[in-house]
Structures are given as C-alpha cells and as structure tokens.
Amino acid sequence: MYTQSFNVPDSPGLKAVPLAPSTENPELQAHFDSKIDADGKIEPQDWMPEAYRKTLVRQISQHAHSEIVGMLPEGNWISRAPSLKRKAILIAKVQDEGGHGLYLYSAAETLGTSREQMLDGLHSGRAKYSSIFNYPTLTWADMGVIGWLVDGAAIMNQIPLCRCSYGPYARAMVRVCKEESFHQRQGYEALLVMMQGTEEQRAMVRDAVNRWWWKCLAMFGPPDADSPNSAQGMRWGIKRISNDDLRQKFVDATVPQAKVLGVTLPDPDLKWNEERQHYDYGQIDWDEFWATVNGDGPCNKERLATRVKAHNDGQWVRDAALAYARKQQERTMKETA
Ligand code: BYC
C-alpha cells in the first residue's frame, strides 16, 4: 500500500525536486507572499523561501518521527491485549501510525530532503519527536487513555494542518486525521467498557488518566510567549492556531468527555470560567517537558535504541525491495527501448 517507500532513490538519494531559483529574487518572493496572503497552496515545484522550506522539513520530519516512535508504546501491548477484538484494533491502530509516518516522510521528501537524512537525524538523537512518547505504558488502561487523550490532542493539533499552506503536507493530513479520529474513539470506547467493569479496572483507568493528563497538555508545545517558531509559522500559514489556543480547545472539549466517562481530571484548578467562557487549568511542569524533549525523559533512551535496532534489522528488507525495484525498472527500460 505504501509503495513510495520502495522507490529506487534518485541519485544521490534525493527526490527529483527542481532546485529553487535564486532566493534573492524579489519577484518570486512577491509571488510567494501573495499566494500565502490569498490562502493558496504552495506546491513542491513552486519557488519558496529557504526558511519556509527548512521550517517545513523540520516540522514534517518531526511529525513523521513522532508517528513512527509513537508505534512503540502501544506496540508493546499487542501481545498482551485482553481479547482478540482489542488485539485486532490495536494492531490496526499501530499499523495506521506506521502509514502516517510514511505519508509524512514522503511529504517532507518533496522538499528535497532524503528519507536517509531524516532518519539519520532521528537515530543520532539530533531530531525531535513528540515528548509524549517518552513515557511508559504501564497497564492496559494506558492503551485506552492514549487513544482518548493522546490521539485526542493529536487531532486537535492536526485538523488545522489540513489547511496548511504546503500542499503535500495538507493533503497527507486529511487522511491522517480521519484515521486519528477512529483511534480516539476506540480508546474512549475501551475506557467506557473498563469503567463499567470491576473496581480494579476503574482504578486502572483513573491511574492512567492521572499519569497522562499533564503530559497531554504539554504536547501542544510551549506557551505562545515561549514558542520561537509560532509567529513565523502562522505568518506562512503552516500553523493556523497557536499552541495555547489549541491547548485550551483541548481542555474545553475533554472536560465533558471525562464527566461522561466518570473520571476526575487531576487538576484542582480546573474550573469553568464564566467570563472567559473557557475552563481555567493549572500550571504545566515545563521543566519536566523540556527535560523530556531534550532526551532525559523516562523512556527516551529505550525508544531510540528500539528504533535504531528495528531500522538495522530491516536493512535486508530495504535492500531486497530496492533490488526488485531496480530489476523492474531495467526491464521496463529494455521493453520501451
Ligand atoms: N514534543 O516554537 P514551538 C501523534 C519543540 S504525533 C517535542 O512551539 P512549533 C501521535 C519544537 O519542535 C504528535 N518537541 O515549535 C502519533 C521546537 O523545537 P525546534 C506529533 C516539542 O513547531 C502516534 C520547540 O519545542 N505532532 O500525536 O511552532 C500515535 C519550540 O516549540 C513539542 C506533530 O508533530 C513536543 N510536544 O510548534 C498517537 C504535529 N512541542 O524544532 C499520536 C505537527 C514543541 O525549534 N507539529 N516542541 O528545535 C506541530 O504542530 C508543531 O511543530 C508543534 C510545535 C505544535 C508540535
């Protein structure tokens, strides 16, 4: 299904993206600006400022890495799912995440960065991926809570990306969001079932919600005032809604869902503010967030080591796929000669 990954790389390993004309060209810059101002889409063959290209490669590759690393905490639970139905759902979800990673790597490749370069960034620890995947999944309830809260936060953040100014990213996100929406619902449904079960099951759900709530709020990124990339990202139509506004929307949407589920979110400051027409919430531990982003979270080393091992173990598959693609290409060329 994800056949792009089996393409023979263009030499020297980059996709065929024409070189951008001079970055100093004011005419091209003006054309780019007017397209952005008119809410148009920038496509791979279009001229774009180097900083726009760089920002997109950064954000899209981080997003792709997050999807791929995000497979690990849940993949852990496939063999321990409590029923065949839950196992089938979890396998499908983890496979979807692999697919999301591949769409996103492909979207980033259209900007002239090779997959090898991006993966090297991840495997060497230079590239970032979402903080949320550096925490352990201790019980089966974590699978439900990841679906409900982590995927819920992901949808909130990613729906506006369907309107991102860069065409390939925006189009990839349409499908990603549809699948994320299934992920969120399956998680919530699994928790509803557990909450109707035994007292032990309910306690597991409460414990998982307590452990994941604050990490999910931090997923949206630093407060707007401390977010170095936001202003430019929004000017370029890459980001549409700020970190804090998305976080607030997530809180507002999640509080009623927690009530239906019958769990209390672990924040004594969480209350409806009539004047703001939003929920107020407490302080996020940003020191912990930055420590995790910078490699010192509870599972960073384990996640990276697992990824590097999986990549190395998969070398023979890539070699075989490339050899096959090369053979096919040679055959087609002979036939058309
Ligand atoms: N974790 O200026 P800011 C998923 C970094 S996939 C780690 O606000 P920006 C899912 C940020 O990169 C979830 N790092 O940046 C998958 C920047 O560092 P650099 C991933 C973070 O780009 C499988 C610095 O902090 N989603 O949900 O304007 C299963 C300053 O931040 C985080 C995406 O990638 C973080 N949480 O905004 C289930 C969506 N937050 O690069 C679920 C696409 C911030 O300058 N990305 N940083 O060194 C975005 O929407 C934006 O890039 C962000 C950050 C909102 C994440």
Side-chain angles (χ1 to χ4, degrees), residues 58-59 62-63 66-67 97 128-131 133 151 154 157 161 169 219-222 227-229 239 243 289-290 293:
R58 175 186 68 80
Q59 179 166 328
Q62 283 177 3
H63 192 166
S66 304
E67 297 283 354
E97 283 150 9
K128 290 189 169 74
Y129 59 85
S130 183
S131 50
F133 301 118
D151 289 276
N157 165 271
L161 293 173
Y169 192 23
M219 259 178 91
F220 292 92
S227 162
N229 303 304
K239 268 174 117 156
N243 297 359
F289 168 79
W290 286 117
V293 169

PDB file of all heavy atoms in Angstrom, residues 58-59 62-63 66-67 97 128-131 133 151 154 157 161 169 219-222 227-229 239 243 289-290 293, ligand 1:
ATOM      1  N   ARG A  58      11.612  20.626   9.017  1.00  0.00           N
ATOM      2  CA  ARG A  58      11.725  20.432  10.468  1.00  0.00           C
ATOM      3  C   ARG A  58      10.405  19.891  11.018  1.00  0.00           C
ATOM      4  O   ARG A  58      10.364  18.851  11.671  1.00  0.00           O
ATOM      5  CB  ARG A  58      12.080  21.767  11.147  1.00  0.00           C
ATOM      6  CG  ARG A  58      12.112  21.723  12.671  1.00  0.00           C
ATOM      7  CD  ARG A  58      12.334  23.106  13.274  1.00  0.00           C
ATOM      8  NE  ARG A  58      11.221  24.013  13.084  1.00  0.00           N
ATOM      9  CZ  ARG A  58      10.099  24.025  13.812  1.00  0.00           C
ATOM     10  NH1 ARG A  58       9.942  23.149  14.777  1.00  0.00           N
ATOM     11  NH2 ARG A  58       9.127  24.884  13.566  1.00  0.00           N
ATOM     12  N   GLN A  59       9.329  20.599  10.739  1.00  0.00           N
ATOM     13  CA  GLN A  59       8.047  20.223  11.355  1.00  0.00           C
ATOM     14  C   GLN A  59       7.530  18.887  10.811  1.00  0.00           C
ATOM     15  O   GLN A  59       7.080  18.037  11.577  1.00  0.00           O
ATOM     16  CB  GLN A  59       7.009  21.327  11.129  1.00  0.00           C
ATOM     17  CG  GLN A  59       5.672  20.948  11.750  1.00  0.00           C
ATOM     18  CD  GLN A  59       4.708  22.107  11.864  1.00  0.00           C
ATOM     19  OE1 GLN A  59       5.114  23.248  12.050  1.00  0.00           O
ATOM     20  NE2 GLN A  59       3.423  21.812  11.759  1.00  0.00           N
ATOM     21  N   GLN A  62       9.719  15.979  12.049  1.00  0.00           N
ATOM     22  CA  GLN A  62       9.458  15.714  13.477  1.00  0.00           C
ATOM     23  C   GLN A  62       8.127  14.990  13.635  1.00  0.00           C
ATOM     24  O   GLN A  62       7.977  14.097  14.464  1.00  0.00           O
ATOM     25  CB  GLN A  62       9.371  17.030  14.258  1.00  0.00           C
ATOM     26  CG  GLN A  62      10.714  17.664  14.537  1.00  0.00           C
ATOM     27  CD  GLN A  62      10.576  19.005  15.261  1.00  0.00           C
ATOM     28  OE1 GLN A  62       9.472  19.431  15.607  1.00  0.00           O
ATOM     29  NE2 GLN A  62      11.691  19.663  15.482  1.00  0.00           N
ATOM     30  N   HIS A  63       7.171  15.416  12.835  1.00  0.00           N
ATOM     31  CA  HIS A  63       5.848  14.795  12.902  1.00  0.00           C
ATOM     32  C   HIS A  63       5.944  13.321  12.471  1.00  0.00           C
ATOM     33  O   HIS A  63       5.396  12.432  13.124  1.00  0.00           O
ATOM     34  CB  HIS A  63       4.890  15.590  11.999  1.00  0.00           C
ATOM     35  CG  HIS A  63       3.452  15.252  12.190  1.00  0.00           C
ATOM     36  ND1 HIS A  63       2.432  16.026  11.707  1.00  0.00           N
ATOM     37  CD2 HIS A  63       2.841  14.203  12.805  1.00  0.00           C
ATOM     38  CE1 HIS A  63       1.275  15.484  12.035  1.00  0.00           C
ATOM     39  NE2 HIS A  63       1.496  14.377  12.690  1.00  0.00           N
ATOM     40  N   SER A  66       7.506  11.290  15.101  1.00  0.00           N
ATOM     41  CA  SER A  66       6.575  11.078  16.230  1.00  0.00           C
ATOM     42  C   SER A  66       5.644   9.911  15.934  1.00  0.00           C
ATOM     43  O   SER A  66       5.331   9.108  16.819  1.00  0.00           O
ATOM     44  CB  SER A  66       5.725  12.326  16.479  1.00  0.00           C
ATOM     45  OG  SER A  66       6.538  13.439  16.705  1.00  0.00           O
ATOM     46  N   GLU A  67       5.187   9.822  14.699  1.00  0.00           N
ATOM     47  CA  GLU A  67       4.287   8.719  14.347  1.00  0.00           C
ATOM     48  C   GLU A  67       5.017   7.380  14.476  1.00  0.00           C
ATOM     49  O   GLU A  67       4.460   6.409  15.000  1.00  0.00           O
ATOM     50  CB  GLU A  67       3.774   8.878  12.907  1.00  0.00           C
ATOM     51  CG  GLU A  67       2.929  10.126  12.671  1.00  0.00           C
ATOM     52  CD  GLU A  67       1.502  10.006  13.211  1.00  0.00           C
ATOM     53  OE1 GLU A  67       1.132   8.906  13.679  1.00  0.00           O
ATOM     54  OE2 GLU A  67       0.771  11.023  13.161  1.00  0.00           O
ATOM     55  N   GLU A  97      -0.365   4.139  12.283  1.00  0.00           N
ATOM     56  CA  GLU A  97       0.672   5.114  12.669  1.00  0.00           C
ATOM     57  C   GLU A  97       1.911   4.955  11.791  1.00  0.00           C
ATOM     58  O   GLU A  97       2.515   5.952  11.374  1.00  0.00           O
ATOM     59  CB  GLU A  97       0.999   4.979  14.167  1.00  0.00           C
ATOM     60  CG  GLU A  97      -0.082   5.631  15.008  1.00  0.00           C
ATOM     61  CD  GLU A  97      -0.290   4.998  16.370  1.00  0.00           C
ATOM     62  OE1 GLU A  97       0.518   4.144  16.777  1.00  0.00           O
ATOM     63  OE2 GLU A  97      -1.286   5.354  17.035  1.00  0.00           O
ATOM     64  N   LYS A 128      13.973  16.027  16.819  1.00  0.00           N
ATOM     65  CA  LYS A 128      12.997  15.874  17.902  1.00  0.00           C
ATOM     66  C   LYS A 128      11.844  14.982  17.443  1.00  0.00           C
ATOM     67  O   LYS A 128      11.600  14.827  16.254  1.00  0.00           O
ATOM     68  CB  LYS A 128      12.428  17.250  18.274  1.00  0.00           C
ATOM     69  CG  LYS A 128      13.422  18.158  18.968  1.00  0.00           C
ATOM     70  CD  LYS A 128      12.684  19.403  19.502  1.00  0.00           C
ATOM     71  CE  LYS A 128      13.541  20.232  20.427  1.00  0.00           C
ATOM     72  NZ  LYS A 128      14.592  20.996  19.731  1.00  0.00           N
ATOM     73  N   TYR A 129      11.136  14.430  18.403  1.00  0.00           N
ATOM     74  CA  TYR A 129       9.840  13.805  18.161  1.00  0.00           C
ATOM     75  C   TYR A 129       8.999  14.097  19.388  1.00  0.00           C
ATOM     76  O   TYR A 129       9.522  14.576  20.410  1.00  0.00           O
ATOM     77  CB  TYR A 129       9.968  12.293  17.890  1.00  0.00           C
ATOM     78  CG  TYR A 129      10.616  11.514  18.997  1.00  0.00           C
ATOM     79  CD1 TYR A 129       9.862  11.042  20.076  1.00  0.00           C
ATOM     80  CD2 TYR A 129      11.993  11.265  19.005  1.00  0.00           C
ATOM     81  CE1 TYR A 129      10.455  10.344  21.119  1.00  0.00           C
ATOM     82  CE2 TYR A 129      12.591  10.562  20.044  1.00  0.00           C
ATOM     83  CZ  TYR A 129      11.815  10.109  21.096  1.00  0.00           C
ATOM     84  OH  TYR A 129      12.412   9.422  22.130  1.00  0.00           O
ATOM     85  N   SER A 130       7.694  13.846  19.303  1.00  0.00           N
ATOM     86  CA  SER A 130       6.809  14.314  20.369  1.00  0.00           C
ATOM     87  C   SER A 130       7.217  13.778  21.749  1.00  0.00           C
ATOM     88  O   SER A 130       7.438  12.572  21.935  1.00  0.00           O
ATOM     89  CB  SER A 130       5.360  13.934  20.074  1.00  0.00           C
ATOM     90  OG  SER A 130       4.531  14.452  21.092  1.00  0.00           O
ATOM     91  N   SER A 131       7.252  14.707  22.698  1.00  0.00           N
ATOM     92  CA  SER A 131       7.568  14.394  24.090  1.00  0.00           C
ATOM     93  C   SER A 131       6.723  13.247  24.638  1.00  0.00           C
ATOM     94  O   SER A 131       7.193  12.448  25.451  1.00  0.00           O
ATOM     95  CB  SER A 131       7.314  15.643  24.946  1.00  0.00           C
ATOM     96  OG  SER A 131       6.013  16.169  24.672  1.00  0.00           O
ATOM     97  N   PHE A 133       5.800  10.443  23.727  1.00  0.00           N
ATOM     98  CA  PHE A 133       6.142   9.033  23.535  1.00  0.00           C
ATOM     99  C   PHE A 133       7.338   8.591  24.374  1.00  0.00           C
ATOM    100  O   PHE A 133       7.853   7.492  24.203  1.00  0.00           O
ATOM    101  CB  PHE A 133       6.344   8.736  22.043  1.00  0.00           C
ATOM    102  CG  PHE A 133       5.096   9.055  21.269  1.00  0.00           C
ATOM    103  CD1 PHE A 133       5.097  10.029  20.293  1.00  0.00           C
ATOM    104  CD2 PHE A 133       3.895   8.431  21.585  1.00  0.00           C
ATOM    105  CE1 PHE A 133       3.931  10.362  19.618  1.00  0.00           C
ATOM    106  CE2 PHE A 133       2.718   8.749  20.922  1.00  0.00           C
ATOM    107  CZ  PHE A 133       2.731   9.719  19.936  1.00  0.00           C
ATOM    108  N   ASP A 151      -4.391  10.740  21.278  1.00  0.00           N
ATOM    109  CA  ASP A 151      -4.908  10.920  19.914  1.00  0.00           C
ATOM    110  C   ASP A 151      -5.883  12.088  19.858  1.00  0.00           C
ATOM    111  O   ASP A 151      -5.973  12.780  18.843  1.00  0.00           O
ATOM    112  CB  ASP A 151      -5.553   9.635  19.404  1.00  0.00           C
ATOM    113  CG  ASP A 151      -4.493   8.578  19.126  1.00  0.00           C
ATOM    114  OD1 ASP A 151      -3.910   8.601  18.027  1.00  0.00           O
ATOM    115  OD2 ASP A 151      -4.223   7.759  20.018  1.00  0.00           O
ATOM    116  N   ALA A 154      -3.763  14.972  19.517  1.00  0.00           N
ATOM    117  CA  ALA A 154      -3.178  14.965  18.160  1.00  0.00           C
ATOM    118  C   ALA A 154      -4.196  15.490  17.157  1.00  0.00           C
ATOM    119  O   ALA A 154      -3.862  16.307  16.289  1.00  0.00           O
ATOM    120  CB  ALA A 154      -2.741  13.552  17.797  1.00  0.00           C
ATOM    121  N   ASN A 157      -4.576  19.220  17.306  1.00  0.00           N
ATOM    122  CA  ASN A 157      -3.412  19.898  16.729  1.00  0.00           C
ATOM    123  C   ASN A 157      -3.362  19.726  15.203  1.00  0.00           C
ATOM    124  O   ASN A 157      -2.896  20.610  14.479  1.00  0.00           O
ATOM    125  CB  ASN A 157      -2.149  19.309  17.396  1.00  0.00           C
ATOM    126  CG  ASN A 157      -0.872  19.632  16.658  1.00  0.00           C
ATOM    127  OD1 ASN A 157      -0.476  18.878  15.762  1.00  0.00           O
ATOM    128  ND2 ASN A 157      -0.237  20.722  17.001  1.00  0.00           N
ATOM    129  N   LEU A 161      -3.883  21.550  10.465  1.00  0.00           N
ATOM    130  CA  LEU A 161      -2.806  21.307   9.497  1.00  0.00           C
ATOM    131  C   LEU A 161      -3.349  20.842   8.139  1.00  0.00           C
ATOM    132  O   LEU A 161      -2.646  20.889   7.137  1.00  0.00           O
ATOM    133  CB  LEU A 161      -1.808  20.280  10.040  1.00  0.00           C
ATOM    134  CG  LEU A 161      -0.987  20.727  11.256  1.00  0.00           C
ATOM    135  CD1 LEU A 161      -0.156  19.580  11.806  1.00  0.00           C
ATOM    136  CD2 LEU A 161      -0.072  21.900  10.890  1.00  0.00           C
ATOM    137  N   TYR A 169       1.734  18.451   2.541  1.00  0.00           N
ATOM    138  CA  TYR A 169       1.505  18.239   3.991  1.00  0.00           C
ATOM    139  C   TYR A 169      -0.001  18.303   4.272  1.00  0.00           C
ATOM    140  O   TYR A 169      -0.547  17.432   4.947  1.00  0.00           O
ATOM    141  CB  TYR A 169       2.265  19.321   4.771  1.00  0.00           C
ATOM    142  CG  TYR A 169       2.386  19.101   6.280  1.00  0.00           C
ATOM    143  CD1 TYR A 169       2.283  17.847   6.860  1.00  0.00           C
ATOM    144  CD2 TYR A 169       2.651  20.186   7.121  1.00  0.00           C
ATOM    145  CE1 TYR A 169       2.435  17.667   8.237  1.00  0.00           C
ATOM    146  CE2 TYR A 169       2.807  20.015   8.498  1.00  0.00           C
ATOM    147  CZ  TYR A 169       2.689  18.753   9.047  1.00  0.00           C
ATOM    148  OH  TYR A 169       2.831  18.589  10.398  1.00  0.00           O
ATOM    149  N   MET A 219       1.889  18.387  25.274  1.00  0.00           N
ATOM    150  CA  MET A 219       2.091  18.001  23.863  1.00  0.00           C
ATOM    151  C   MET A 219       1.936  19.155  22.884  1.00  0.00           C
ATOM    152  O   MET A 219       2.508  19.158  21.806  1.00  0.00           O
ATOM    153  CB  MET A 219       1.014  16.972  23.478  1.00  0.00           C
ATOM    154  CG  MET A 219       1.423  15.553  23.443  1.00  0.00           C
ATOM    155  SD  MET A 219      -0.026  14.552  23.023  1.00  0.00           S
ATOM    156  CE  MET A 219       0.074  14.482  21.241  1.00  0.00           C
ATOM    157  N   PHE A 220       1.089  20.125  23.242  1.00  0.00           N
ATOM    158  CA  PHE A 220       0.796  21.224  22.300  1.00  0.00           C
ATOM    159  C   PHE A 220       1.974  22.188  22.143  1.00  0.00           C
ATOM    160  O   PHE A 220       1.910  23.106  21.334  1.00  0.00           O
ATOM    161  CB  PHE A 220      -0.455  21.995  22.761  1.00  0.00           C
ATOM    162  CG  PHE A 220      -1.706  21.162  22.646  1.00  0.00           C
ATOM    163  CD1 PHE A 220      -2.162  20.408  23.714  1.00  0.00           C
ATOM    164  CD2 PHE A 220      -2.403  21.102  21.453  1.00  0.00           C
ATOM    165  CE1 PHE A 220      -3.287  19.607  23.606  1.00  0.00           C
ATOM    166  CE2 PHE A 220      -3.534  20.309  21.329  1.00  0.00           C
ATOM    167  CZ  PHE A 220      -3.985  19.562  22.419  1.00  0.00           C
ATOM    168  N   GLY A 221       3.021  21.952  22.936  1.00  0.00           N
ATOM    169  CA  GLY A 221       4.209  22.798  22.819  1.00  0.00           C
ATOM    170  C   GLY A 221       4.206  23.910  23.843  1.00  0.00           C
ATOM    171  O   GLY A 221       3.223  24.117  24.562  1.00  0.00           O
ATOM    172  N   PRO A 222       5.324  24.648  23.927  1.00  0.00           N
ATOM    173  CA  PRO A 222       5.481  25.677  24.968  1.00  0.00           C
ATOM    174  C   PRO A 222       4.416  26.761  24.859  1.00  0.00           C
ATOM    175  O   PRO A 222       3.790  26.915  23.804  1.00  0.00           O
ATOM    176  CB  PRO A 222       6.871  26.256  24.676  1.00  0.00           C
ATOM    177  CG  PRO A 222       7.182  25.882  23.278  1.00  0.00           C
ATOM    178  CD  PRO A 222       6.459  24.602  22.995  1.00  0.00           C
ATOM    179  N   SER A 227       7.318  30.342  22.471  1.00  0.00           N
ATOM    180  CA  SER A 227       7.338  29.486  21.283  1.00  0.00           C
ATOM    181  C   SER A 227       8.035  30.221  20.139  1.00  0.00           C
ATOM    182  O   SER A 227       7.436  31.039  19.456  1.00  0.00           O
ATOM    183  CB  SER A 227       5.889  29.134  20.901  1.00  0.00           C
ATOM    184  OG  SER A 227       5.820  28.675  19.578  1.00  0.00           O
ATOM    185  N   PRO A 228       9.328  29.924  19.924  1.00  0.00           N
ATOM    186  CA  PRO A 228      10.097  30.713  18.957  1.00  0.00           C
ATOM    187  C   PRO A 228       9.607  30.587  17.518  1.00  0.00           C
ATOM    188  O   PRO A 228       9.816  31.485  16.713  1.00  0.00           O
ATOM    189  CB  PRO A 228      11.519  30.151  19.087  1.00  0.00           C
ATOM    190  CG  PRO A 228      11.371  28.819  19.738  1.00  0.00           C
ATOM    191  CD  PRO A 228      10.128  28.876  20.553  1.00  0.00           C
ATOM    192  N   ASN A 229       8.960  29.446  17.195  1.00  0.00           N
ATOM    193  CA  ASN A 229       8.603  29.211  15.783  1.00  0.00           C
ATOM    194  C   ASN A 229       7.195  29.649  15.418  1.00  0.00           C
ATOM    195  O   ASN A 229       6.817  29.640  14.238  1.00  0.00           O
ATOM    196  CB  ASN A 229       8.735  27.720  15.455  1.00  0.00           C
ATOM    197  CG  ASN A 229      10.135  27.191  15.731  1.00  0.00           C
ATOM    198  OD1 ASN A 229      11.106  27.719  15.201  1.00  0.00           O
ATOM    199  ND2 ASN A 229      10.239  26.188  16.583  1.00  0.00           N
ATOM    200  N   LYS A 239       1.151  26.926  10.560  1.00  0.00           N
ATOM    201  CA  LYS A 239       0.347  26.799  11.787  1.00  0.00           C
ATOM    202  C   LYS A 239      -0.860  27.718  11.630  1.00  0.00           C
ATOM    203  O   LYS A 239      -0.712  28.837  11.140  1.00  0.00           O
ATOM    204  CB  LYS A 239       1.161  27.292  12.973  1.00  0.00           C
ATOM    205  CG  LYS A 239       1.953  26.227  13.688  1.00  0.00           C
ATOM    206  CD  LYS A 239       2.826  26.831  14.747  1.00  0.00           C
ATOM    207  CE  LYS A 239       2.432  26.337  16.120  1.00  0.00           C
ATOM    208  NZ  LYS A 239       3.568  26.430  17.072  1.00  0.00           N
ATOM    209  N   ASN A 243      -0.277  27.417  19.967  1.00  0.00           N
ATOM    210  CA  ASN A 243      -0.144  26.319  20.949  1.00  0.00           C
ATOM    211  C   ASN A 243      -1.151  26.482  22.098  1.00  0.00           C
ATOM    212  O   ASN A 243      -1.846  25.540  22.480  1.00  0.00           O
ATOM    213  CB  ASN A 243       1.271  26.302  21.542  1.00  0.00           C
ATOM    214  CG  ASN A 243       2.355  26.035  20.502  1.00  0.00           C
ATOM    215  OD1 ASN A 243       2.068  25.844  19.319  1.00  0.00           O
ATOM    216  ND2 ASN A 243       3.609  26.026  20.939  1.00  0.00           N
ATOM    217  N   PHE A 289       8.850  18.981  30.897  1.00  0.00           N
ATOM    218  CA  PHE A 289       8.647  18.907  29.445  1.00  0.00           C
ATOM    219  C   PHE A 289       9.981  19.080  28.717  1.00  0.00           C
ATOM    220  O   PHE A 289      10.356  18.277  27.864  1.00  0.00           O
ATOM    221  CB  PHE A 289       7.657  19.988  29.021  1.00  0.00           C
ATOM    222  CG  PHE A 289       7.573  20.214  27.532  1.00  0.00           C
ATOM    223  CD1 PHE A 289       6.843  19.356  26.721  1.00  0.00           C
ATOM    224  CD2 PHE A 289       8.217  21.292  26.931  1.00  0.00           C
ATOM    225  CE1 PHE A 289       6.766  19.562  25.341  1.00  0.00           C
ATOM    226  CE2 PHE A 289       8.141  21.514  25.563  1.00  0.00           C
ATOM    227  CZ  PHE A 289       7.416  20.649  24.762  1.00  0.00           C
ATOM    228  N   TRP A 290      10.740  20.126  29.066  1.00  0.00           N
ATOM    229  CA  TRP A 290      11.990  20.397  28.337  1.00  0.00           C
ATOM    230  C   TRP A 290      13.029  19.315  28.584  1.00  0.00           C
ATOM    231  O   TRP A 290      13.786  18.958  27.681  1.00  0.00           O
ATOM    232  CB  TRP A 290      12.546  21.787  28.697  1.00  0.00           C
ATOM    233  CG  TRP A 290      11.732  22.876  28.044  1.00  0.00           C
ATOM    234  CD1 TRP A 290      11.010  23.843  28.663  1.00  0.00           C
ATOM    235  CD2 TRP A 290      11.540  23.072  26.626  1.00  0.00           C
ATOM    236  NE1 TRP A 290      10.372  24.642  27.723  1.00  0.00           N
ATOM    237  CE2 TRP A 290      10.686  24.189  26.467  1.00  0.00           C
ATOM    238  CE3 TRP A 290      11.994  22.415  25.481  1.00  0.00           C
ATOM    239  CZ2 TRP A 290      10.276  24.663  25.223  1.00  0.00           C
ATOM    240  CZ3 TRP A 290      11.595  22.868  24.233  1.00  0.00           C
ATOM    241  CH2 TRP A 290      10.746  23.985  24.106  1.00  0.00           C
ATOM    242  N   VAL A 293      11.968  16.612  26.246  1.00  0.00           N
ATOM    243  CA  VAL A 293      12.251  16.968  24.847  1.00  0.00           C
ATOM    244  C   VAL A 293      13.760  16.866  24.583  1.00  0.00           C
ATOM    245  O   VAL A 293      14.184  16.440  23.513  1.00  0.00           O
ATOM    246  CB  VAL A 293      11.737  18.398  24.543  1.00  0.00           C
ATOM    247  CG1 VAL A 293      12.243  18.890  23.194  1.00  0.00           C
ATOM    248  CG2 VAL A 293      10.219  18.450  24.597  1.00  0.00           C
TER     249      VAL A 293
HETATM  250  N1  BYC B   1       7.474  17.411  21.869  1.00  0.00           N
HETATM  251  O1  BYC B   1       8.208  27.087  18.749  1.00  0.00           O
HETATM  252  P1  BYC B   1       7.462  25.849  19.042  1.00  0.00           P
HETATM  253  C1  BYC B   1       0.782  11.987  17.464  1.00  0.00           C
HETATM  254  C2  BYC B   1       9.610  21.737  20.212  1.00  0.00           C
HETATM  255  S1  BYC B   1       2.065  12.599  16.616  1.00  0.00           S
HETATM  256  C3  BYC B   1       8.731  17.624  21.434  1.00  0.00           C
HETATM  257  O2  BYC B   1       6.091  25.992  19.572  1.00  0.00           O
HETATM  258  P2  BYC B   1       6.425  24.748  16.565  1.00  0.00           P
HETATM  259  C4  BYC B   1       0.517  10.558  17.534  1.00  0.00           C
HETATM  260  C5  BYC B   1       9.501  22.315  18.811  1.00  0.00           C
HETATM  261  O3  BYC B   1       9.727  21.319  17.843  1.00  0.00           O
HETATM  262  C6  BYC B   1       2.374  14.092  17.551  1.00  0.00           C
HETATM  263  N2  BYC B   1       9.160  18.838  20.999  1.00  0.00           N
HETATM  264  O4  BYC B   1       7.502  24.902  17.735  1.00  0.00           O
HETATM  265  C7  BYC B   1       1.303   9.642  16.901  1.00  0.00           C
HETATM  266  C8  BYC B   1      10.553  23.387  18.854  1.00  0.00           C
HETATM  267  O5  BYC B   1      11.853  22.819  18.709  1.00  0.00           O
HETATM  268  P3  BYC B   1      12.770  23.064  17.396  1.00  0.00           P
HETATM  269  C9  BYC B   1       3.266  14.994  16.845  1.00  0.00           C
HETATM  270  C10 BYC B   1       8.262  19.834  21.002  1.00  0.00           C
HETATM  271  O6  BYC B   1       6.993  23.835  15.551  1.00  0.00           O
HETATM  272  C11 BYC B   1       1.088   8.284  17.088  1.00  0.00           C
HETATM  273  C12 BYC B   1      10.485  23.883  20.276  1.00  0.00           C
HETATM  274  O7  BYC B   1       9.861  22.874  21.035  1.00  0.00           O
HETATM  275  N3  BYC B   1       2.515  16.049  16.195  1.00  0.00           N
HETATM  276  O8  BYC B   1       0.185  12.764  18.095  1.00  0.00           O
HETATM  277  O9  BYC B   1       5.933  26.077  16.131  1.00  0.00           O
HETATM  278  C13 BYC B   1       0.092   7.858  17.963  1.00  0.00           C
HETATM  279  C14 BYC B   1       9.682  25.162  20.392  1.00  0.00           C
HETATM  280  O10 BYC B   1       8.290  24.932  20.054  1.00  0.00           O
HETATM  281  C15 BYC B   1       6.931  19.668  21.420  1.00  0.00           C
HETATM  282  C16 BYC B   1       3.091  16.885  15.358  1.00  0.00           C
HETATM  283  O11 BYC B   1       4.278  16.793  15.122  1.00  0.00           O
HETATM  284  C17 BYC B   1       6.549  18.397  21.870  1.00  0.00           C
HETATM  285  N4  BYC B   1       5.324  18.136  22.328  1.00  0.00           N
HETATM  286  O12 BYC B   1       5.202  24.008  17.298  1.00  0.00           O
HETATM  287  C18 BYC B   1      -0.693   8.784  18.603  1.00  0.00           C
HETATM  288  C19 BYC B   1       2.192  17.901  14.699  1.00  0.00           C
HETATM  289  N5  BYC B   1       6.295  20.853  21.311  1.00  0.00           N
HETATM  290  O13 BYC B   1      12.172  22.244  16.295  1.00  0.00           O
HETATM  291  C20 BYC B   1      -0.497  10.145  18.401  1.00  0.00           C
HETATM  292  C21 BYC B   1       2.931  18.870  13.840  1.00  0.00           C
HETATM  293  C22 BYC B   1       7.183  21.733  20.843  1.00  0.00           C
HETATM  294  O14 BYC B   1      12.721  24.546  17.085  1.00  0.00           O
HETATM  295  N6  BYC B   1       3.748  19.777  14.599  1.00  0.00           N
HETATM  296  N7  BYC B   1       8.367  21.131  20.666  1.00  0.00           N
HETATM  297  O15 BYC B   1      14.124  22.570  17.790  1.00  0.00           O
HETATM  298  C23 BYC B   1       3.263  20.901  15.173  1.00  0.00           C
HETATM  299  O16 BYC B   1       2.084  21.183  15.133  1.00  0.00           O
HETATM  300  C24 BYC B   1       4.257  21.833  15.795  1.00  0.00           C
HETATM  301  O17 BYC B   1       5.544  21.508  15.315  1.00  0.00           O
HETATM  302  C25 BYC B   1       4.237  21.801  17.357  1.00  0.00           C
HETATM  303  C26 BYC B   1       5.359  22.717  17.865  1.00  0.00           C
HETATM  304  C27 BYC B   1       2.923  22.314  17.874  1.00  0.00           C
HETATM  305  C28 BYC B   1       4.499  20.384  17.871  1.00  0.00           C
END
